[in-house]
Amino acid sequence: PTAPSLCAVLRAAGALRDGHAGAAAHAQAAALGFLASDVVPTALLQMYSGCGSPRDANQVFDEMMTPDVVAWNCVMHCNVRYGYLDRALGKFCRMVSTGLAPTESTLSSVLSGCGRCGDLHHGCALHGWVVKSEELDPDLPLQNALLDMYCCCCDLGTAVRVFQRIETPDLVSWNTIIAGFSGVGDGWSAMQAFVQLKAVSSEWLAPDEYTFAAVVAAAAPLPAMCSGKPLHAGVIKVGLEGSVFVANTLLNMYFTNEDPGSAQILFDSVMVKDVIMWTEMVAGHSALGEGELSLKYFIGMLQVGHKVDNFSLSSALNSTADLAGLKQGEMLHAQVVKSGYEGNICVSGSLVDMYAKNGTLRGVYSVFCTIQKPDLKCWNSMIGGYGNHGDSEMAFKLFGDMIRS
């Protein structure tokens, strides 16, 4: 095989996430002496990144004699992708020290890592590099990376200034700033940004499902008549009512505004429902004290074949606690064990609360003893359970244990 054919095999292995085929091609490249060039090692970097092997990618990179900019970018992107921001920053510093100038792609990748890790300090330092560099002409992806970093780090003041300096923001820019406002709970600012986007909309710049999901999530705490229902109408107008992604945020908005009727209509209108939609219905009705409806949707979720998670189990258990339904609670306890969530603090706390409200003190004590580090909810449920069912001595003992812990 030639170097180009090996590169093709490596690209295919990376795309298929086939680490065995990639490793075999790596061994073949080493045997044929192709690792002395930059082309095959760079393809190896991309393959190992695609196969989820950042350790192997770093090892390949460290064995390269004179990596070019593409290789540096590949290894930094790989480290950022798998959450090794310190390694990516270390590689960035090494790249600069060798005299190679970082490209817009280099900085975009590392800024993305800073945003994901909430590392505002290094993000600001990289921003300073962008401003001072005479060789860089920040393109739109780099500006969007800066904007996303500040939004992820909850520095919306600087994010707005970065956004305002973008000459022609694209949809990614608008979605990022709207999601940024949503992330800090500033619903009105998110709505204002959405209105501004609508004002400049065109055939090439129109809100998509990510836009609507972000602005609906931001508007959820606001009165539904002021923002949520008009946004829902907008979703229908542009033909996104079948999007599960948007529907999930709309459901949350309706339950936040204590409008389960509208949530029910929306849920029934979506043909293909994912597990998140079902969980929203279970949790939403549970939060509103509608335990029977919550359990109905929990059972429905199981019947259509979705797997339960800790959130749906906790919500269903809270409903059985409010209904004082011991039989349903015990069935859910069995489901917890079957699903492997008995070690989850959120689920365990709901189990303790369910048994305590049902007065099953033996059950509540056995669950409580399995919890390694009980949280305040667990302690309160235990103390309340024993106190409400006539065992004040045990309640005071538990209170003392909680203080000492």
Side-chain angles (χ1 to χ4, degrees), residues 10-71:
L10 289 167
R11 282 194 294 271
L16 295 171
R17 298 182 67 84
D18 188 341
H20 293 296
H26 186 175
Q28 187 75 14
L32 294 171
F34 287 138
L35 300 184
S37 68
D38 283 338
V39 178
V40 174
T42 301
L44 280 168
L45 284 175
Q46 294 169 331
M47 181 275 294
Y48 281 124
S49 179
C51 292
S53 303
R55 182 178 178 180
D56 292 322
N58 280 287
Q59 185 175 342
V60 168
F61 180 82
D62 291 337
E63 291 172 357
M64 294 176 71
M65 297 299 293
T66 54
D68 59 8
V69 173
V70 176

Side-chain angles (χ1 to χ4, degrees), residues 51-285:
C51 292
S53 303
R55 182 178 178 180
D56 292 322
N58 280 287
Q59 185 175 342
V60 168
F61 180 82
D62 291 337
E63 291 172 357
M64 294 176 71
M65 297 299 293
T66 54
D68 59 8
V69 173
V70 176
W72 282 103
N73 286 352
C74 283
V75 74
M76 278 186 266
H77 176 73
C78 177
N79 282 306
V80 167
R81 180 179 180 181
Y82 295 103
Y84 298 108
L85 179 60
D86 289 341
R87 289 185 190 174
L89 289 169
K91 292 285 193 293
F92 178 83
C93 294
R94 277 181 55 194
M95 179 184 183
V96 173
S97 67
T98 62
L100 277 175
T103 64
E104 288 84 354
S105 177
T106 314
L107 287 155
S108 295
S109 181
V110 183
L111 281 166
S112 171
C114 290
R116 285 166 57 183
C117 295
D119 190 342
L120 183 60
H121 174 73
H122 284 110
C124 288
L126 289 168
H127 190 179
W129 178 277
V130 172
V131 173
K132 291 180 180 179
S133 176
E134 297 178 356
E135 300 172 357
L136 277 176
D137 182 19
D139 56 8
L140 187 55
L142 176 53
Q143 291 173 309
N144 284 338
L146 274 169
L147 177 62
D148 181 62
M149 183 275 294
Y150 282 115
C151 286
C152 289
C153 293
C154 300
D155 186 353
L156 268 294
T158 308
V160 169
R161 290 193 290 275
V162 170
F163 180 81
Q164 290 171 341
R165 289 172 184 167
I166 301 176
E167 189 174 342
T168 51
D170 63 0
L171 190 57
V172 174
S173 313
W174 284 102
N175 286 353
T176 301
I177 195 68
I178 291 170
F181 285 125
S182 175
V184 297
D186 191 348
W188 290 116
S189 294
M191 283 295 296
Q192 288 172 356
F194 179 75
V195 170
Q196 290 170 10
L197 168 60
K198 294 282 286 182
V200 298
S201 289
S202 64
E203 184 180 349
W204 300 276
L205 184 67
D208 62 5
E209 61 179 341
Y210 298 102
T211 319
F212 278 105
V215 73
V216 170
L222 306 177
M225 289 302 295
C226 296
S227 53
K229 290 197 172 182
L231 285 170
H232 191 175
V235 168
I236 296 171
K237 185 177 179 181
V238 298
L240 290 173
E241 66 271 25
S243 167
V244 176
F245 189 55
V246 179
N248 288 329
T249 57
L250 284 167
L251 283 175
N252 178 263
M253 180 272 296
Y254 280 125
F255 278 118
T256 301
N257 281 272
E258 299 184 1
D259 186 357
S262 295
Q264 170 78 60
I265 294 169
L266 170 63
F267 181 83
D268 292 339
S269 71
V270 179
M271 298 301 294
V272 181
K273 305 170 180 67
D274 66 358
V275 67
I276 300 174
M277 282 195 74
W278 284 97
T279 302
E280 284 284 358
M281 296 300 286
V282 174
H285 284 296

Side-chain angles (χ1 to χ4, degrees), residues 295 298-299 302 308 313 316-317 320 325-339 351 354-355 358:
L295 290 173
F298 182 82
I299 293 167
L302 292 175
V308 296
L313 282 166
L317 284 165
T320 60
L326 179 59
K327 184 177 179 180
Q328 296 97 322
E330 288 175 335
M331 291 171 65
L332 285 170
H333 192 171
Q335 187 69 43
V336 168
V337 175
K338 182 181 177 182
S339 305
L351 275 170
M354 182 274 295
Y355 280 122
N358 279 283

